[in-house]
């Protein structure tokens, strides 16, 4: 009993100390750093666009430094006076994925991106890192920031907002903002119902069902000029508020948004940590990128809930796709590097995965995909879009296909641990 009491006291003191750090260095609203991510399949550069001030801070005030080891990108905020790292956050981008396509071998491209952090009280420096070919974060960009500069653009609200589900303050809850894509002015009620259906479906799947009271969900009503979504492969173009398109990277069902800055402009109307876009279509498809955004069809006649939890699990903590093929990527997971995703391995450095602790000592590694191991955690070949030398933890999982209603034990544990980390 004493040990539990002492552990509780340590947690309280730690949280109080970290909150004091937040109050020392930051205001309770957001600074946004907009930039362009440029290059080709071998190179990448970052070019500053502008700074913006946004009215809310929807992330934790305690979990300020990112020690997850996740992501292809990372940024750090350094206090200029002390040289101390006071905030960091890992993420992926659509540009990272584009670099693995054939197109990236033939052209150079620029994509608008941005990162957000609590608004600093004093001058800081931003550092942006990217993983190199050895999987190690390498500093690519630095810039000094003066928070008192009059060139920092202030936020101008344009849209109506509403609550979908609220369970408590942003500081110890996970805030999701729902953004409409392809709903015209007279389709507001359709979007409201889509938001209500989102929470109904999303929280019908474990482990999100058991964690539902740790989430706040709000929506921004941002109507489009045209109803529906763009389908470039069918030469159908719509004038929509987020400019989402199917056929991203020539994959018919991959619906994504290149203008991330424009998406942030909509999301900033409410406190948010994660962005999810509800697309006004019945066409199956969408996507999700770690600490970037998720999007999917809101009116597909089947499996909307499975799509939501699958894509959001990419966004929340970067769980990898466990299926094979159907994408245009080349060598997404190099064989000489252990993937940082919790549910994929090349067996290069498997001992560091929490996943290994869930495997019975008698289960062979790699594990045969036979009936004997159908309900066992193992190391099954095929995942990360590749049929060979990339391995997943279970024969079936919602990160692989929708023949099941469940996440495997490895993904379930990883989601639960990450939610706890975000909310403490």
């Amino acid at each position: 009993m004493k040990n539990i009491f002492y552990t509780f006291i340590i947690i309280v003191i730690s949280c109080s100390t970290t909150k004091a750090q937040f109050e020392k260095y930051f205001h309770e609203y957001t600074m946004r750093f907009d930039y362009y991510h440029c290059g080709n399949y071998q190179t990448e550069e970052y070019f500053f666009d502008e700074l913006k001030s946004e009215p809310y801070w929807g992330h934790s005030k305690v979990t300020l430094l990112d020690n997850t080891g996740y992501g292809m990108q990372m940024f750090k905020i350094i206090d200029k006076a002390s040289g101390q790292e006071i905030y960091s956050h890992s993420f992926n981008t659509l540009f990272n994925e584009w670099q693995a396509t054939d197109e990236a071998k033939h052209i150079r491209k620029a994509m608008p991106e941005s990162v957000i952090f609590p608004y600093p009280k004093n001058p800081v420096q931003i550092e942006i890192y990217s993983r190199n070919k050895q999987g190690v974060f390498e500093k690519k960009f630095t810039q000094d920031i003066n928070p008192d500069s009059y060139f920092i653009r202030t936020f101008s609200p344009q849209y109506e907002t509403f609550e979908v589900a609220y369970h408590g303050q942003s500081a110890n809850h996970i805030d999701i903002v729902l953004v409409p894509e392809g709903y015209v002015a007279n389709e507001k009620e359709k979007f409201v119902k889509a938001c209500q259906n989102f929470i109904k479906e999303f929280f019908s799947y474990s482990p999100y069902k058991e964690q539902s009271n740790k989430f706040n969900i709000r929506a921004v009503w941002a109507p489009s000029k045209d109803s529906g979504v763009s389908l470039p492969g069918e030469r159908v173009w719509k004038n929509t508020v987020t400019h989402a398109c199917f056929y991203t990277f020539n994959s018919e069902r991959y619906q994504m948004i290149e203008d991330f800055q424009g998406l942030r402009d909509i999301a900033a109307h409410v406190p948010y940590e994660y962005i999810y876009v509800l697309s006004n279509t019945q066409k199956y498809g969408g996507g999700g990128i770690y600490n970037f955004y998720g999007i999917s069809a809101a009116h597909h006649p089947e499996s909307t809930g499975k799509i939501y939890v699958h894509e959001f699990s990419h966004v929340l903590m970067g769980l990898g796709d466990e299926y094979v093929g159907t994408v245009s990527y080349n060598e997404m997971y190099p064989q000489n590097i252990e993937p940082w995703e919790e549910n994929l391995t090349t067996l290069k450095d498997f001992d560091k995965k929490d996943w290994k602790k869930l495997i019975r000592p008698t289960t062979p590694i790699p594990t045969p995909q036979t009936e004997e191991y159908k309900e066992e955690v193992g190391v099954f070949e095929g995942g990360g879009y590749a049929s060979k030398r990339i391995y997943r933890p279970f024969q079936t999982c919602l990160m692989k296909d929708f023949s099941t209603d469940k996440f495997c034990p490895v993904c379930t544990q990883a989601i639960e641990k990450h939610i706890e980390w975000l909310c403490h």
Side-chain angles (χ1 to χ4, degrees), residues 19 58 61 166-175 216 218:
K19 190 173 182 181
K61 297 176 187 175
Y166 180 79
H167 292 103
Q169 295 182 346
S170 296
N172 52 7
H173 289 78
I174 297 170
D175 286 2
N216 296 324
R218 302 175 180 88

Side-chain angles (χ1 to χ4, degrees), residues 21 24-26 65 76-88 117 119-127 143-145 147:
Q21 285 288 95
K24 177 181 179 181
Y25 290 111
F26 301 113
L65 301 181
K76 299 179 181 180
I77 302 300
I78 309 298
D79 176 59
K80 288 287 289 182
S82 65
Q84 181 179 346
E85 179 185 334
I86 56 176
Y87 188 80
S88 59
F117 45 95
Y119 202 101
K121 292 181 176 180
N122 302 303
V124 296
Q125 182 179 79
I126 186 171
E127 301 176 345
Q143 182 167 309
D144 289 346
I145 296 174

